[in-house]
mmCIF file of all heavy atoms in Angstrom:
data_model
loop_
_atom_site.group_PDB
_atom_site.id
_atom_site.type_symbol
_atom_site.label_atom_id
_atom_site.label_comp_id
_atom_site.label_asym_id
_atom_site.label_seq_id
_atom_site.Cartn_x
_atom_site.Cartn_y
_atom_site.Cartn_z
ATOM 1 N N TYR Q 1315 190.187 -188.554 34.342
ATOM 2 C CA TYR Q 1315 189.617 -189.894 34.491
ATOM 3 C C TYR Q 1315 188.260 -189.936 33.788
ATOM 4 O O TYR Q 1315 187.590 -188.911 33.641
ATOM 5 C CB TYR Q 1315 189.437 -190.238 35.964
ATOM 6 C CG TYR Q 1315 190.635 -190.926 36.595
ATOM 7 C CD1 TYR Q 1315 191.832 -190.255 36.776
ATOM 8 C CD2 TYR Q 1315 190.570 -192.253 36.999
ATOM 9 C CE1 TYR Q 1315 192.928 -190.868 37.344
ATOM 10 C CE2 TYR Q 1315 191.656 -192.893 37.574
ATOM 11 C CZ TYR Q 1315 192.842 -192.199 37.746
ATOM 12 O OH TYR Q 1315 193.921 -192.831 38.294
ATOM 13 N N ILE Q 1331 188.233 -207.757 34.649
ATOM 14 C CA ILE Q 1331 188.643 -207.097 35.893
ATOM 15 C C ILE Q 1331 190.167 -207.002 35.961
ATOM 16 O O ILE Q 1331 190.735 -205.969 36.342
ATOM 17 C CB ILE Q 1331 188.076 -207.853 37.118
ATOM 18 C CG1 ILE Q 1331 186.555 -207.656 37.194
ATOM 19 C CG2 ILE Q 1331 188.751 -207.398 38.408
ATOM 20 C CD1 ILE Q 1331 185.885 -208.415 38.319
ATOM 21 N N GLU Q 1332 190.846 -208.070 35.555
ATOM 22 C CA GLU Q 1332 192.314 -208.067 35.536
ATOM 23 C C GLU Q 1332 192.843 -206.995 34.578
ATOM 24 O O GLU Q 1332 193.808 -206.285 34.893
ATOM 25 C CB GLU Q 1332 192.812 -209.454 35.112
ATOM 26 C CG GLU Q 1332 194.318 -209.615 35.170
ATOM 27 C CD GLU Q 1332 194.754 -211.011 34.745
ATOM 28 O OE1 GLU Q 1332 193.926 -211.947 34.779
ATOM 29 O OE2 GLU Q 1332 195.926 -211.159 34.352
ATOM 30 N N LEU Q 1333 192.201 -206.857 33.405
ATOM 31 C CA LEU Q 1333 192.613 -205.835 32.436
ATOM 32 C C LEU Q 1333 192.418 -204.432 33.013
ATOM 33 O O LEU Q 1333 193.305 -203.569 32.888
ATOM 34 C CB LEU Q 1333 191.802 -205.993 31.142
ATOM 35 C CG LEU Q 1333 192.010 -204.918 30.074
ATOM 36 C CD1 LEU Q 1333 193.424 -204.987 29.511
ATOM 37 C CD2 LEU Q 1333 190.993 -205.075 28.944
ATOM 38 N N CYS Q 1334 191.279 -204.190 33.649
ATOM 39 C CA CYS Q 1334 191.006 -202.865 34.215
ATOM 40 C C CYS Q 1334 191.966 -202.542 35.358
ATOM 41 O O CYS Q 1334 192.447 -201.403 35.469
ATOM 42 C CB CYS Q 1334 189.563 -202.792 34.707
ATOM 43 S SG CYS Q 1334 188.325 -202.887 33.393
ATOM 44 N N GLU Q 1335 192.259 -203.520 36.195
ATOM 45 C CA GLU Q 1335 193.172 -203.276 37.317
ATOM 46 C C GLU Q 1335 194.590 -202.995 36.817
ATOM 47 O O GLU Q 1335 195.291 -202.155 37.379
ATOM 48 C CB GLU Q 1335 193.186 -204.491 38.256
ATOM 49 C CG GLU Q 1335 191.869 -204.755 38.963
ATOM 50 C CD GLU Q 1335 191.519 -203.695 39.994
ATOM 51 O OE1 GLU Q 1335 192.435 -203.024 40.489
ATOM 52 O OE2 GLU Q 1335 190.320 -203.537 40.289
ATOM 53 N N SER Q 1336 194.999 -203.677 35.755
ATOM 54 C CA SER Q 1336 196.347 -203.443 35.214
ATOM 55 C C SER Q 1336 196.459 -202.072 34.550
ATOM 56 O O SER Q 1336 197.569 -201.587 34.321
ATOM 57 C CB SER Q 1336 196.711 -204.537 34.202
ATOM 58 O OG SER Q 1336 195.882 -204.463 33.058
ATOM 59 N N ASN Q 1337 195.313 -201.460 34.233
ATOM 60 C CA ASN Q 1337 195.303 -200.117 33.658
ATOM 61 C C ASN Q 1337 194.921 -199.072 34.706
ATOM 62 O O ASN Q 1337 194.357 -198.035 34.367
ATOM 63 C CB ASN Q 1337 194.346 -200.055 32.465
ATOM 64 C CG ASN Q 1337 194.926 -200.690 31.223
ATOM 65 O OD1 ASN Q 1337 195.648 -200.056 30.461
ATOM 66 N ND2 ASN Q 1337 194.629 -201.966 31.004
ATOM 67 N N ARG Q 1338 195.219 -199.349 35.967
ATOM 68 C CA ARG Q 1338 195.010 -198.432 37.093
ATOM 69 C C ARG Q 1338 193.552 -198.046 37.275
ATOM 70 O O ARG Q 1338 193.225 -196.924 37.638
ATOM 71 C CB ARG Q 1338 195.878 -197.173 36.951
ATOM 72 C CG ARG Q 1338 197.367 -197.445 36.877
ATOM 73 C CD ARG Q 1338 198.187 -196.185 37.035
ATOM 74 N NE ARG Q 1338 198.050 -195.292 35.898
ATOM 75 C CZ ARG Q 1338 197.652 -194.031 35.991
ATOM 76 N NH1 ARG Q 1338 197.338 -193.515 37.156
ATOM 77 N NH2 ARG Q 1338 197.574 -193.282 34.913
ATOM 78 N N GLY Q 1339 192.654 -198.971 36.997
ATOM 79 C CA GLY Q 1339 191.231 -198.696 37.149
ATOM 80 C C GLY Q 1339 190.754 -198.893 38.576
ATOM 81 O O GLY Q 1339 191.353 -199.644 39.359
ATOM 82 N N GLU Q 1340 189.649 -198.230 38.928
ATOM 83 C CA GLU Q 1340 189.009 -198.382 40.237
ATOM 84 C C GLU Q 1340 187.579 -198.855 40.020
ATOM 85 O O GLU Q 1340 186.786 -198.166 39.374
ATOM 86 C CB GLU Q 1340 188.999 -197.054 40.998
ATOM 87 C CG GLU Q 1340 190.369 -196.558 41.405
ATOM 88 C CD GLU Q 1340 190.284 -195.258 42.176
ATOM 89 O OE1 GLU Q 1340 189.154 -194.875 42.590
ATOM 90 O OE2 GLU Q 1340 191.332 -194.605 42.353
ATOM 91 N N GLN Q 1341 187.254 -200.030 40.555
ATOM 92 C CA GLN Q 1341 185.917 -200.597 40.355
ATOM 93 C C GLN Q 1341 184.888 -199.815 41.162
ATOM 94 O O GLN Q 1341 185.074 -199.531 42.339
ATOM 95 C CB GLN Q 1341 185.901 -202.064 40.766
ATOM 96 C CG GLN Q 1341 184.592 -202.766 40.407
ATOM 97 C CD GLN Q 1341 184.594 -204.232 40.790
ATOM 98 O OE1 GLN Q 1341 183.655 -204.713 41.411
ATOM 99 N NE2 GLN Q 1341 185.661 -204.943 40.445
ATOM 100 N N LYS Q 1342 183.777 -199.466 40.492
ATOM 101 C CA LYS Q 1342 182.702 -198.706 41.127
ATOM 102 C C LYS Q 1342 181.428 -199.518 41.307
ATOM 103 O O LYS Q 1342 180.697 -199.336 42.264
ATOM 104 C CB LYS Q 1342 182.389 -197.449 40.296
ATOM 105 C CG LYS Q 1342 183.513 -196.426 40.289
ATOM 106 C CD LYS Q 1342 183.787 -195.898 41.686
ATOM 107 C CE LYS Q 1342 184.909 -194.898 41.720
ATOM 108 N NZ LYS Q 1342 185.227 -194.450 43.091
ATOM 109 N N TYR Q 1356 183.835 -198.936 35.912
ATOM 110 C CA TYR Q 1356 185.182 -198.635 36.406
ATOM 111 C C TYR Q 1356 185.503 -197.168 36.145
ATOM 112 O O TYR Q 1356 185.052 -196.593 35.144
ATOM 113 C CB TYR Q 1356 186.221 -199.488 35.672
ATOM 114 C CG TYR Q 1356 186.697 -200.699 36.444
ATOM 115 C CD1 TYR Q 1356 186.022 -201.905 36.368
ATOM 116 C CD2 TYR Q 1356 187.834 -200.634 37.243
ATOM 117 C CE1 TYR Q 1356 186.459 -203.025 37.067
ATOM 118 C CE2 TYR Q 1356 188.277 -201.737 37.944
ATOM 119 C CZ TYR Q 1356 187.593 -202.934 37.860
ATOM 120 O OH TYR Q 1356 188.031 -204.025 38.559
ATOM 121 N N ASP Q 1357 186.278 -196.565 37.042
ATOM 122 C CA ASP Q 1357 186.914 -195.278 36.772
ATOM 123 C C ASP Q 1357 188.313 -195.569 36.240
ATOM 124 O O ASP Q 1357 189.120 -196.219 36.923
ATOM 125 C CB ASP Q 1357 187.002 -194.431 38.043
ATOM 126 C CG ASP Q 1357 185.680 -193.770 38.381
ATOM 127 O OD1 ASP Q 1357 184.736 -193.907 37.578
ATOM 128 O OD2 ASP Q 1357 185.590 -193.134 39.452
ATOM 129 N N LEU Q 1358 188.590 -195.093 35.019
ATOM 130 C CA LEU Q 1358 189.860 -195.379 34.352
ATOM 131 C C LEU Q 1358 190.549 -194.085 33.951
ATOM 132 O O LEU Q 1358 189.881 -193.110 33.574
ATOM 133 C CB LEU Q 1358 189.631 -196.222 33.087
ATOM 134 C CG LEU Q 1358 189.186 -197.671 33.252
ATOM 135 C CD1 LEU Q 1358 188.682 -198.212 31.921
ATOM 136 C CD2 LEU Q 1358 190.334 -198.524 33.748
ATOM 137 N N PRO Q 1359 191.898 -194.049 33.997
ATOM 138 C CA PRO Q 1359 192.606 -192.886 33.439
ATOM 139 C C PRO Q 1359 192.386 -192.816 31.929
ATOM 140 O O PRO Q 1359 192.471 -193.828 31.231
ATOM 141 C CB PRO Q 1359 194.081 -193.164 33.770
ATOM 142 C CG PRO Q 1359 194.065 -194.246 34.792
ATOM 143 C CD PRO Q 1359 192.826 -195.031 34.573
ATOM 144 N N HIS Q 1362 195.052 -194.292 29.581
ATOM 145 C CA HIS Q 1362 195.054 -195.741 29.329
ATOM 146 C C HIS Q 1362 193.930 -196.122 28.375
ATOM 147 O O HIS Q 1362 194.061 -197.076 27.607
ATOM 148 C CB HIS Q 1362 194.907 -196.496 30.646
ATOM 149 C CG HIS Q 1362 196.124 -196.466 31.504
ATOM 150 N ND1 HIS Q 1362 197.146 -197.377 31.396
ATOM 151 C CD2 HIS Q 1362 196.507 -195.597 32.468
ATOM 152 C CE1 HIS Q 1362 198.098 -197.094 32.269
ATOM 153 N NE2 HIS Q 1362 197.734 -196.016 32.933
ATOM 154 N N PHE Q 1367 192.778 -199.494 24.638
ATOM 155 C CA PHE Q 1367 192.101 -200.265 25.672
ATOM 156 C C PHE Q 1367 190.943 -201.060 25.084
ATOM 157 O O PHE Q 1367 190.709 -202.209 25.460
ATOM 158 C CB PHE Q 1367 191.588 -199.320 26.767
ATOM 159 C CG PHE Q 1367 190.843 -200.014 27.877
ATOM 160 C CD1 PHE Q 1367 191.528 -200.596 28.933
ATOM 161 C CD2 PHE Q 1367 189.455 -200.095 27.874
ATOM 162 C CE1 PHE Q 1367 190.848 -201.244 29.960
ATOM 163 C CE2 PHE Q 1367 188.764 -200.742 28.887
ATOM 164 C CZ PHE Q 1367 189.465 -201.311 29.935
ATOM 165 N N ARG Q 1389 192.125 -185.953 38.561
ATOM 166 C CA ARG Q 1389 192.645 -186.522 39.799
ATOM 167 C C ARG Q 1389 194.151 -186.305 39.895
ATOM 168 O O ARG Q 1389 194.864 -186.332 38.882
ATOM 169 C CB ARG Q 1389 192.365 -188.030 39.862
ATOM 170 C CG ARG Q 1389 190.900 -188.394 39.985
ATOM 171 C CD ARG Q 1389 190.742 -189.859 40.328
ATOM 172 N NE ARG Q 1389 189.353 -190.283 40.291
ATOM 173 C CZ ARG Q 1389 188.943 -191.518 40.559
ATOM 174 N NH1 ARG Q 1389 189.844 -192.445 40.872
ATOM 175 N NH2 ARG Q 1389 187.676 -191.837 40.506
#
Side-chain angles (χ1 to χ4, degrees):
Y1315 270 68
I1331 290 177
E1332 185 180 340
L1333 174 67
C1334 294
E1335 294 291 336
S1336 66
N1337 283 274
R1338 301 192 291 124
E1340 293 181 12
Q1341 188 179 131
K1342 293 298 179 184
Y1356 260 88
D1357 281 355
L1358 290 166
H1362 287 273
F1367 179 84
R1389 293 192 187 180

